[in-house]
């Protein structure tokens, strides 16, 4: 079982996106669309590497569907499910 | 945005990637008397006004002297620059108009003169950086427009930004003395590194390339091919339903934000099919993939090249199964990003700006037994996305033609326009026989259409 609660994971992923991956202004929120905010092929790989560094889990790019990358929230749901071994 | 009337610099440095392209230009000039030219082709509907376009280009060149600036080293030393001051006294980019006869169907072949234009010499030292060819069809029913440029003036993204900006000027939404992005002449974002860190990064990138060279590699053109320049190109445009299926398959098999790996795999397999038909042992396939370095969330710089290169190498055994090949490419891409080779490549190319022009190609050829790579490849996504009309006419289709030196002699570029996939293949005459071109095309179609 992972040490990450869903809320803590969501906070961490949002922080990575906001501070390290995307060049976003104040309007960026956990519900913001990631592709519209500038998530591209390189950014998504850097994001997965940062999540791996934080949580120890690698999310394969084949799982990164448009639905899963809709927002920081939907991405958190995917990563959390992976951490729970779903 | 540069304020109207603000002071402009007298010179602008070439980026490291520009210098890489300048080395290719020198090589092409030396071996076959032509230039390293790229092309962007627009197929327009009725409504294009040639006189107004000519006036607009002339005004744009007046306001943006980089469009005709000589590229040179100051006193033969230091990094090469665009000499903007000298550019101000150069003529505007030429526009040649031609009569195309009866109007073509949207999928009809493109004018042969576009292809011919890529085989001419355009001198960097004289600022011959950009030109247009306009083919008007009878009754003003349609126009084909080709923008041909020295590849170091814009990269693929930059050329699309430029056309968007020019079109915005046409609509009156922009002024010709402004550009839509504040980074127009600035370097793209890059991590802050000390000189010694950058030196280590450059050496790391060089070692990476040298590690690729430990396996043999042979392009379809063969090493050091010296023939008169005769670059040809073909475009394969899939219909809407096939394209939709291909796009879905690319996302599913390679990742929805990394579809380029699916397209790259398809291109490798097409070259492999030709090598196998020829009985050629390619040794391995080594292909560079351009990576856009523009800051995220911005329109991006217009002029100069803002790219780094990720290199891939696969063995013939890994090419047989498409999904296995995509898996190998995904793993290599991830490893290269983890190792920092995108940033390392930028540093390496930046250092080499001060080196003699031929150093790049000399080093690559020495490492790869006289070759540069197996072929060139680019996937540029949606071509002028959301731009339904351009210069007053419906934009029916459009794509890029990327240049390629005589060796490796083959370059595949893919993009989408209005939901249709365009695959352009630029190749030097003689590298592919007619039969081999059929093999190449069949392999592409088999993977893109029949395999999805």
């Amino acid at each position: 079982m992972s040490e990450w609660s869903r809320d803590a994971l969501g906070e961490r992923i949002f922080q990575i996106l906001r501070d390290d991956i995307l060049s976003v202004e104040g309007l960026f929120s956990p519900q913001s669309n990631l592709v519209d905010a500038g998530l591209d092929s390189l950014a998504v790989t850097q994001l997965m590497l940062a999540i791996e560094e934080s949580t120890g889990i690698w999310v394969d790019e084949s799982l990164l569907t448009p639905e899963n990358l809709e927002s920081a929230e939907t991405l958190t749901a995917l990563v959390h499910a992976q951490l729970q071994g779903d | 945005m540069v304020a109207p009337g603000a002071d402009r610099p007298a010179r602008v440095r070439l980026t490291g990637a520009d210098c890489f392209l300048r080395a290719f230009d020198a090589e092409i000039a030396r071996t076959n008397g032509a230039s390293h030219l790229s092309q962007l082709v627009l197929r327009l509907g009725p409504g294009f006004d040639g006189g107004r376009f000519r006036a607009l280009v002339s005004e744009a060149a007046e306001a943006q002297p980089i469009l005709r600036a000589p590229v040179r080293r100051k006193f033969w030393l230091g990094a090469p620059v665009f000499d903007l001051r000298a550019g101000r006294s150069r003529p505007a980019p030429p526009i040649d108009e031609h009569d195309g006869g009866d109007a073509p169907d949207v999928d009809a072949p493109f004018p042969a003169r576009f292809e011919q234009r890529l085989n001419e010499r355009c001198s960097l030292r004289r600022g011959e950086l950009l030109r247009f060819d306009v083919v008007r069809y009878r009754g003003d029913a349609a126009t084909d427009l080709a923008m041909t440029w020295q590849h170091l003036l814009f990269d693929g993204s930059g050329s699309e930004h430029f056309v968007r900006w020019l079109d915005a000027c046409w609509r009156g939404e922009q002024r010709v003395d402004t550009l839509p992005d504040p980074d127009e002449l600035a370097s793209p974002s890059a991590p802050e590194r000390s000189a010694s860190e950058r030196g280590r990064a450059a050496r790391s990138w060089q070692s990476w390339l040298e590690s690729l060279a430990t396996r043999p590699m042979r392009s379809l053109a063969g090493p050091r091919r010296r023939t008169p320049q005769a670059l040809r190109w073909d475009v394969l445009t899939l219909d809407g339903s096939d394209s939709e299926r291909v796009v879905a398959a690319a996302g599913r098999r390679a990742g929805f934000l990394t579809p380029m790996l699916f397209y790259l795999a398809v291109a490798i397999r097409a070259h492999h099919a030709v090598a196998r038909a020829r009985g050629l042992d390619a040794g391995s396939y080594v292909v560079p993939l351009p990576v856009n370095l523009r800051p995220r969330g911005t329109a991006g710089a217009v002029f100069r090249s803002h790219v780094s290169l990720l290199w891939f190498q696969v063995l013939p055994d890994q090419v047989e199964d498409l999904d296995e090949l995509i898996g190998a490419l995904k793993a290599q891409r991830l490893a290269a990003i983890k190792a920092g080779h995108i940033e390392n490549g930028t540093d390496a190319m930046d250092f080499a700006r001060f080196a003699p022009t031929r150093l790049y190609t000399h080093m690559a050829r020495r490492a790869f037994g006289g070759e540069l790579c197996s072929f060139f490849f680019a996937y540029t996504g949606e071509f002028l996305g959301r731009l339904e009309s351009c210069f007053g006419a419906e934009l029916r289709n459009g794509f890029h033609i990327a240049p390629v030196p005589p060796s490796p002699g083959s370059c595949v570029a893919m993009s989408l326009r209005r939901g249709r996939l365009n695959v352009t293949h630029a190749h030097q005459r003689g590298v592919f026989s007619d039969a081999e071109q059929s093999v190449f095309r069949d392999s592409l179609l088999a993977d893109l259409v029949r395999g999805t």
Side-chain angles (χ1 to χ4, degrees):
Chain A
M1 184 65 75
S2 158
E3 65 196 50
W4 285 89
S5 70
R6 169 106 180 219
D7 286 350
L9 182 67
E11 218 166 279
R12 178 73 189 121
I13 288 176
F14 179 70
Q15 189 184 30
I16 292 169
L17 281 162
R18 187 192 57 201
D19 299 344
D20 303 333
I21 305 292
L22 303 172
S23 309
V24 285
E25 303 295 329
L27 291 176
F28 184 68
S29 75
Q31 292 79 37
S32 298
N33 184 287
L34 299 182
V35 176
D36 289 349
L39 193 74
D40 59 15
S41 57
L42 182 55
V44 79
T45 306
Q46 289 168 331
L47 172 64
M48 291 307 116
L49 288 169
I51 290 174
E52 184 189 32
E53 198 176 297
S54 286
T55 66
I57 193 158
W58 174 253
V59 181
D60 190 83
E61 281 161 340
S62 61
L63 297 172
L64 300 175
T65 60
E67 295 75 29
N68 288 332
L69 288 175
E70 177 69 30
S71 66
E73 271 185 359
T74 58
L75 179 60
T76 299
L78 170 71
V79 179
H80 192 252
Q82 294 274 298
L83 282 167
Q84 301 303 309
D86 292 355
Chain B
M1 189 174 287
V2 175
D7 283 344
R8 297 248 180 195
R11 296 181 192 86
V12 174
R13 286 184 337 179
L14 271 65
T15 64
D18 289 339
C19 292
F20 204 79
L21 300 172
R22 185 168 177 257
F24 282 173
D25 186 70
E27 164 137 333
I28 291 175
R30 197 176 64 253
T31 54
N32 57 14
S35 291
H36 194 242
L37 304 177
S38 268
Q39 202 167 64
L40 180 149
V41 174
L42 304 179
R43 175 152 277 176
L44 303 170
F48 179 81
D49 179 342
R52 193 173 157 203
F53 183 73
R54 188 178 294 276
L56 175 64
V57 169
S58 179
E59 280 176 43
E62 187 67 33
Q64 308 292 341
I66 194 171
L67 293 172
R68 50 207 168 116
V71 175
R72 52 174 67 133
R73 287 183 198 267
K74 193 181 176 190
F75 306 122
W76 304 95
L77 295 169
V81 296
F82 289 97
D83 188 340
L84 304 190
R85 188 170 291 160
R88 292 192 175 92
S89 59
R90 301 281 168 169
I95 301 172
D96 290 356
E97 289 204 40
H98 318 276
D99 178 13
D102 290 331
D105 175 65
V106 69
D107 290 331
F110 286 83
R113 65 181 66 253
F114 289 179
E115 197 174 77
Q116 291 158 11
R117 194 61 84 192
L118 289 170
N119 295 315
E120 295 176 1
R121 177 75 190 143
C122 293
S123 167
L124 286 171
R125 292 190 57 76
R126 290 200 295 268
E128 295 167 352
L129 305 183
L130 177 67
R131 68 178 308 146
F132 295 89
D133 285 279
V134 176
V135 175
R136 311 292 298 274
Y137 295 96
R138 200 160 292 150
D140 192 32
T143 299
D144 285 334
L145 190 153
M147 179 172 94
T148 307
W149 74 93
Q150 272 281 358
H151 198 25
L152 54 71
L153 178 61
F154 318 111
D155 56 26
S157 294
S159 68
E160 290 189 40
H161 292 320
F162 179 70
V163 169
R164 275 185 195 281
W165 171 76
L166 206 56
D167 179 61
C169 293
W170 174 287
R171 294 169 196 263
E173 295 165 1
Q174 284 283 340
R175 291 171 47 146
V176 291
D177 56 358
T178 62
L179 280 171
D181 181 75
D183 292 315
E184 79 209 48
L185 297 174
S187 290
S189 65
E192 294 292 327
R193 284 173 158 170
S194 67
S196 62
E197 285 171 332
R198 297 179 68 210
R200 279 196 296 277
R203 279 195 296 279
S204 165
W205 198 70
Q206 191 183 343
S207 301
W208 181 43
L209 290 193
E210 284 169 358
S211 73
L212 301 182
T214 57
R215 293 181 188 281
M217 181 270 290
R218 190 177 162 93
S219 74
L220 292 172
R224 296 188 187 283
R225 191 167 182 275
R226 286 172 181 269
T227 55
Q229 168 92 351
L231 193 64
R232 302 174 57 191
W233 57 262
D234 317 298
V235 58
L236 171 67
T237 303
L238 301 188
D239 67 27
S241 61
D242 280 345
S243 299
E244 194 178 347
R245 228 172 45 242
V246 171
V247 169
R252 196 173 57 246
R253 295 167 93 159
F256 121 87
L257 283 176
T258 49
M260 74 293 265
L261 298 181
F262 170 81
Y263 298 115
L264 173 58
V266 168
I268 290 173
R269 280 164 58 84
H271 285 84
H272 180 58
V274 174
R276 198 167 42 191
R278 195 186 284 183
L280 174 74
D281 179 7
S284 65
Y285 294 93
V286 176
V287 190
L289 182 72
V291 180
N292 192 340
L293 294 176
R294 286 170 175 77
R296 289 188 188 102
T298 67
V302 173
F303 300 117
R304 308 186 299 167
S305 307
H306 302 286
V307 295
S308 186
L309 294 173
L310 280 181
W311 291 79
F312 294 87
Q313 182 173 46
V314 290
L315 302 174
D317 286 351
Q318 295 174 287
V319 175
E320 297 297 338
D321 181 84
L322 180 58
D323 285 315
E324 188 186 327
L325 175 56
I326 293 169
L329 297 175
K330 281 168 83 169
Q332 288 185 26
R333 176 178 177 275
L334 183 61
I337 292 173
K338 259 184 176 172
H341 286 317
I342 292 178
E343 297 82 3
N344 296 348
T346 306
D347 284 334
M349 290 194 281
D350 272 352
F351 270 113
R353 284 183 300 124
F354 299 92
T357 305
R358 288 171 59 183
L359 183 73
Y360 294 86
T361 45
H362 175 73
M363 284 172 62
R365 288 202 185 287
R366 194 179 60 175
F368 289 119
E371 301 265 22
L372 291 171
C373 62
S374 298
F375 64 93
F376 288 103
F377 174 82
Y379 171 73
T380 53
E382 190 70 33
F383 180 85
L384 291 175
R386 295 194 287 275
L387 200 64
E388 286 305 307
S389 69
C390 197
F391 308 129
E394 179 194 6
L395 177 52
R396 293 176 169 169
N397 198 5
F399 46 81
H400 294 277
I401 310 296
V404 59
S407 171
S410 175
C411 175
V412 177
M414 301 192 190
S415 59
L416 291 155
R417 174 70 204 165
R418 284 183 164 175
R420 300 180 70 186
L421 181 73
N422 284 309
V423 182
T424 57
H425 183 213
H427 49 100
Q428 292 283 349
R429 187 172 63 197
V431 173
F432 292 80
S433 68
D434 289 346
E436 287 173 347
Q437 271 188 272
S438 296
V439 170
F440 189 84
R441 192 182 171 94
D442 284 349
S443 174
L444 285 177
L445 286 171
D447 283 343
L448 290 173
V449 181
R450 295 191 287 277
T452 55

